Each structure stands twice: as C-alpha cells, then as structure tokens.
C-alpha cells in the first residue's frame, strides 16, 4: 500500500472509534483542548518511538527525562529529595509494582492487603497475579474508606498484612479517602501505605481546598499518579513514587543466570518504547505548573457547572457530591441508566455506565476534562433530552427466563457451548463462533447488570475470547 492509501485506511478504521478530542468522550480519554500540547506530544512520540528503555545506559536521554518527571512530581506532591520514582506504562502497572514490591519486602506466608471496597480493580488484578489476598473492607458513609473497620481488619490479619491502600479519589464514586487517619494507623504499625492517586494526582495539587493526601502526610509510603490522565500526555505513562529508595528496592528485577545480557528492569516491561515517556516529558514541560493550575480551574468549574445542571434535572441525582473532576449520576426508577447512556451516544456524547454493586443500582460515570468544561451547556441540553426520552421509553424489559438464567448460572461449571448459548440469548452472537457488538448496548448491559459479579466476569471473558478469535 502507498503511504496515502495507508493513511486513508487508518482514517477509515478510526471513524468507528470514540473521538479522543473535542471533549465529548467522558471516559477513557483526557483532552486538554491545547492543540500545541498535542502536537508537541505527537512529535516527541515519533522521535522516540524506536528507542528502547530496556537499557538506560544505551539511551541515557530516557533516564534524564524520567528523572525530570519524578522531580516535577516531587515538587507538586510534597516529596523531599528522598522520594524516588519510576515511569511505568499506566496506573495498573504502577499498582501491580507497588503490590509486588510490598509482597517481596515483607516475605511472609499468605500475604494480604487491606483496602476499601471502592479500591480500583487493578488491586484485584495484582492480588491475582502475585498471590496476595485482597481483603476488601466495606466503605463507610459517603463511600469513604471506613478507618475503624480497616484498622480492625489490619489488626485481625496481623503479620500477614503487607500493604494498605486507599484512593484520592476513588474511580467509581470520585470520593477522597481519609488519608491522614489511615496513615496514622499504618505508621503506628510500621506498614506500607499506598495512595492510589492515579486519577486525582495531577488535579489535587492545584485544588487549594484539598485535604492533605500526598507525601505531606507522614506514613504514606508509595503513591501512583497517571500522567496519561490529567497531565494530558499520550497513553502509556504513569509514575510510581516511593517515600525512599529502600522502600523501592524490591521493585527492581535483575537476572544474570542465563547466557544472554543481564536483565535489569525497574518495571514489568523489559523492552519498551521511549515514545510515551518522551511525550510525557514534552507535554509537562510545555504546560508547566501554571498551565496545569489553569486547566484544573477550568476542569473543576466545569465539573461544578455540570453537577449544578444535574441537580436540576428530574429523575437524576448525584450519587456523591463531586470532590475532584468525576461526576457520578444516579437515576430514579423511571429512567434506565443503560437506555440513557445509549441515547447520549446517539447525540454524540459517551458516558460510562457502571453496573450495580451490592445494594447500589447501576449509575453513570463522567470524567470531566478541560476540553469538556467548555461544552457543559451543550452536554446538559443533550442530557435533559435523553432523560425525557428514556423516561418515555420506560425500563428495559429482560425476558424473565433469561434473567433467571443469568442470576443462577454457576460460572465454574459453564462450558464453551453454554457460553455460546448465552451470548446468543443476549443478542451478542455473530457468525461462526464470533460475537457481534450490537448498536444498542442497553439491553445487553441490563442483562449483564443483573448477573452476580462472578457470572459477569465469566460472561465478559467469554465475550472477549470470541471477540479476539
Ligand atoms: C483510581 C484509579 N486507579 C487506577 C487506575 C488504572 O489506571 P490504568 O487504566 O491507567 O491502568 C485508574 C483508571 O482510571 C483509576 O482511576
């Protein structure tokens, strides 16, 4: 293919994706609205795409850019010179490494970590990968970590506890956990305490009324902050920071006992492109602290305007008052959240449905970014129209037999054939063992929503398996 044909083909394929810019996609992407920052990032990715972070001595420029990013983070997160950091590929990798490091530092039998029930799913993944038991403690009022209940759990598990973690804010509710109180508990017991600031860590430093949450709090031993979120850098960059080098050491991996080069890694990846790191360095230099202050002000003003608008719409409520840039919207019985998200997509806005959890019904998650802030009035107009239409459409009706089947499935005994049957019933079956993603996801979401989490997981895995055949 010629370069022109290839670019035309890429554009054609991209047409079916959600837009990454323009502020209408309120999950997955973060748009500063700064065209120059995007352009400099693209150039930096291109310049560094073929470099390899495998060997920092071969590409010392990567090491220097990592050091600059860590120094910038230190300056905004109240970290002293003793704070050290690593650039990783994303929030999940930062969290995986924090858990692995804590596990290896402790070296105990049956390691466990104690977290609030709102902790990000990446901790469950870390538990699964590294054989650390995830002990979740139900949150207290306001969906905030319950310090007394977590303390009780920590003391009950005793020496098995290798890590305690909390979020600033939690993804699902946008709520900041009580970091000072938790840090007092972990510090008194000599435990590691990780603050998951993946989504809030580049917002909170410029929110003057934020409670203390970062390295200003004695007892915080590690912290994750994603640059590919509110630092508005291209995807593939997060920072994992440790309060000192000794806390970080078990994160590093070396292997010399084979005939090839001595493997020496600070992250899970070995060969890795320097492109995302260079782009992050470029964007952070370009926007700078004053630029971020301005972007945060616009984002928070937009969040407040959006929350105000939601308060005035019949059938809707805020699940929690927004504390940073996340808004979570609940509906009453007249409006189905899955219909609402489909209707918003029809009018060009992507909002993310969150499935029911425990006693809590499904809701909608909105991630505000600076570019969305400008179009809040348009968003609210579309939302009002969608709510009216969803209320007229009424609740999604699920075939009672299908509902019963979904609720009673035993995920451990299901075979491929049963999954194919279920996917067909759910309207997801395509040709030849493939799956087809329907135009309207509402009915599928509504069905998945009534299944218990373990069944949901099994269904989703079967779905992905067929999607990628
Ligand atoms: C609080 C929190 N932690 C961790 C993550 C995981 O980050 P990533 O998707 O970059 O792996 C997210 C992503 O939204 C998050 O909001």
């Amino acid at each position: 293919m010629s370069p022109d044909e290839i670019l035309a083909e890429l554009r054609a394929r991209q047409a079916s994706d959600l837009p990454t810019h323009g502020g209408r996609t309120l999950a997955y992407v973060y748009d500063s609205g700064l065209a120059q920052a995007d352009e400099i990032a693209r150039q930096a990715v291109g310049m560094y795409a073929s470099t390899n972070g495998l060997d920092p001595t071969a590409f010392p420029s990567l090491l220097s850019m990592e050091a600059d990013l860590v120094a910038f983070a230190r300056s905004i997160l109240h970290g002293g010179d003793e704070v050290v950091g690593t650039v990783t590929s994303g929030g999940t990798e930062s969290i995986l490494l924090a858990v692995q490091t804590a596990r290896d530092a402790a070296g105990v039998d049956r390691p466990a970590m104690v977290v609030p029930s709102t902790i990000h799913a990446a901790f469950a993944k870390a538990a699964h990968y590294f054989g650390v038991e995830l002990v979740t403690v139900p949150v207290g009022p306001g969906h905030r970590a319950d310090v007394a209940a977590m303390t009780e759990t920590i003391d009950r598990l005793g020496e098995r506890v290798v890590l305690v973690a909390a979020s600033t804010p939690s993804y699902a509710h946008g709520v900041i956990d009580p970091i000072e109180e938790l840090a007092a508990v972990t510090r008194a017991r000599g435990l590691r305490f990780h603050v998951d600031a993946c989504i809030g860590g580049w917002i909170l430093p410029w929110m003057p009324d934020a409670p203390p949450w970062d390295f200003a709090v004695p007892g915080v031993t590690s912290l994750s902050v994603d640059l590919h979120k509110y630092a508005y850098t291209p995807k593939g960059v997060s920072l994992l920071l440790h309060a000192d080098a000794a806390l970080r050491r078990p994160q590093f991996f070396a292997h010399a006992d084979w005939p090839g080069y001595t493997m020496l890694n600070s992250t899970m990846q070995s060969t890795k492109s320097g492109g995302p790191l260079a782009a992050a360095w470029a964007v952070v230099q370009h926007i700078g602290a004053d630029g971020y202050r301005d972007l945060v002000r616009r984002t928070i003003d937009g969040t407040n305007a959006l929350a105000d608008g939601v308060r005035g719409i019949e059938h809707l409520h805020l699940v929690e008052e927004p504390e940073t840039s996340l808004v979570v919207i609940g509906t009453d019985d007249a409006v189905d959240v899955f219909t609402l998200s489909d209707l918003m997509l029809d009018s060009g806005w992507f909002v993310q449905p969150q499935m029911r959890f425990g006693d809590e019904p499904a809701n909608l998650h909105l991630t505000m970014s600076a570019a969305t802030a400008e179009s809040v009035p348009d968003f609210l107009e579309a939302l009002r129209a969608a709510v009216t239409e969803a209320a007229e459409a009424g609740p999604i009706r699920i075939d009672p037999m299908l509902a019963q089947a979904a609720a009673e499935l035993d995920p451990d005994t299901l075979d491929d054939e049963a999954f194919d049957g279920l996917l067909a019933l759910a309207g997801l079956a395509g040709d030849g063992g493939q799956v087809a993603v329907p135009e309207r996801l509402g009915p599928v979401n509504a069905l998945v929503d009534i299944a218990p989490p373990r069944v949901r997981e099994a269904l989703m895995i079967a779905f992905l398996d067929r999607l990628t055949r």
Side-chain angles (χ1 to χ4, degrees):
M1 287 168 85
S2 71
D4 282 349
E5 283 171 330
I6 289 167
L7 290 175
E9 177 64 22
L10 284 176
R11 276 187 211 104
R13 290 189 188 205
Q14 206 165 34
S16 54
D17 294 348
L18 287 171
T20 56
H21 289 78
R24 286 176 158 256
T25 305
L26 281 84
Y28 308 126
V29 300
Y30 300 78
D31 182 6
S32 66
L34 303 175
Q36 259 193 342
D38 293 339
E39 181 50 31
I40 200 87
R42 269 192 291 272
Q43 288 195 27
V45 170
M47 278 174 73
Y48 274 85
S50 302
T51 58
N52 192 344
L54 171 65
D55 182 349
T57 63
F59 298 95
S61 66
L62 299 180
L63 208 54
S64 71
M65 287 187 283
E66 181 177 53
D68 287 350
L69 286 172
V70 170
F72 188 98
R74 241 191 242 126
S75 75
I76 61 170
L77 301 173
H78 300 100
D81 288 346
E82 64 289 354
V83 167
V84 292
T86 306
V87 168
T88 73
S89 64
T92 299
E93 191 183 8
S94 291
I95 289 165
L96 289 172
L97 287 168
V99 172
Q100 171 261 313
T101 305
R103 182 200 66 174
D104 291 353
V108 296
D109 283 345
R110 301 197 303 136
M113 55 182 149
V114 178
V115 298
S117 51
T118 48
I119 204 78
H120 192 276
F123 285 86
K125 189 173 185 175
H128 176 66
Y129 280 11
F130 300 130
V132 177
E133 188 185 344
L134 184 73
V135 183
T136 51
V137 179
V139 287
H143 292 101
R144 237 175 283 280
D146 181 336
V147 179
M150 282 182 69
T151 308
E152 207 174 284
T153 306
I154 291 166
D155 289 340
R156 179 169 54 76
L157 292 168
E159 301 215 321
R160 288 183 58 204
V161 179
V162 300
L163 185 67
V164 175
S167 326
T168 59
S170 59
Y171 183 82
H173 300 97
V175 164
I176 299 173
D177 283 325
I179 300 304
E180 278 187 301
E181 288 95 317
L182 285 168
V185 172
T186 55
R187 195 167 173 229
R189 290 159 179 76
L191 292 169
R192 285 180 182 241
F193 179 35
H194 181 84
V195 174
D196 177 6
C198 281
I199 203 158
W202 224 257
I203 288 263
L204 288 167
W206 293 285
M207 288 186 68
D209 298 332
W213 65 278
D214 55 16
F215 287 116
V217 180
V220 170
T221 56
S222 60
L223 206 151
S224 47
V225 189
D226 294 354
L227 302 189
H228 64 198
K229 293 189 169 80
Y230 285 104
Y232 298 106
T233 77
K235 297 282 181 267
V237 192
S238 167
L239 281 169
L240 171 60
L241 303 163
H242 293 273
D244 62 47
L247 287 163
R248 179 176 65 173
R249 202 148 300 132
Q251 179 192 316
F252 293 162
F253 180 81
H255 188 75
D257 198 9
W258 75 303
Y261 58 89
T262 297
M263 185 189 259
L264 175 62
N265 297 150
S266 58
T267 59
M268 299 183 73
Q269 288 180 305
S270 207
T271 281
K272 56 187 174 186
S273 170
L277 163 59
W281 182 88
V283 170
V284 170
Q285 302 307 314
H286 181 70
I287 297 179
D290 288 341
Y292 284 116
R293 180 173 297 107
D294 185 49
L295 289 170
V296 168
R297 187 185 46 73
R298 281 198 273 145
T299 306
I300 299 302
D301 286 351
T303 308
N304 291 337
L306 196 146
D308 274 349
V310 168
R311 281 187 202 98
I313 301 178
E314 196 190 351
H315 303 305
L316 301 188
H317 62 271
L318 298 168
V319 173
E320 289 296 348
E321 286 300 313
E323 294 184 355
T324 58
S325 53
L326 308 179
V327 179
V328 187
I329 301 177
T331 63
D332 64 18
D333 289 345
V335 169
D336 189 290
V337 292
F338 303 117
T339 304
L340 194 53
S341 61
D342 275 355
L343 290 169
M344 287 301 283
L345 197 56
D346 288 347
S347 53
W349 296 92
F350 180 83
V351 292
Q352 187 180 51
Q354 300 190 126
M355 302 277 158
R356 72 177 68 182
F357 178 71
D359 299 337
E360 300 191 38
N363 54 44
L364 293 179
H365 189 279
L366 278 51
T367 302
M368 177 69 68
S369 60
T372 307
E374 289 159 22
S375 32
V376 165
D378 293 346
F379 176 86
L380 288 170
E381 197 181 313
L383 187 62
R384 269 183 223 106
V387 168
T388 305
E389 203 178 329
E392 279 164 10
I396 294 178
R397 301 217 179 281
I398 304 167
D399 179 335
M401 294 239 306
L402 197 52
Q404 194 181 354
E408 289 175 357
L409 284 175
D410 175 359
D412 294 330
T413 57
L414 279 174
D415 56 17
D416 258 8
E417 209 178 312
F419 274 123
D420 283 332
L422 267 174
L423 291 170
L425 281 171
L428 289 169
D431 295 331
Q434 291 267 340
V435 287
V437 183
E439 289 237 322
R440 287 203 126 21
L441 276 172
V444 178
N445 279 332
L447 177 65
V448 173
D449 184 52
I450 57 169
R454 295 259 342 269
V455 175
R456 250 185 243 163
E457 289 158 10
L459 280 173
M460 289 295 115
I461 286 172
F463 175 68
L464 183 62
D465 171 47
R466 284 146 182 84
L467 199 61
T468 53
R469 275 186 199 177

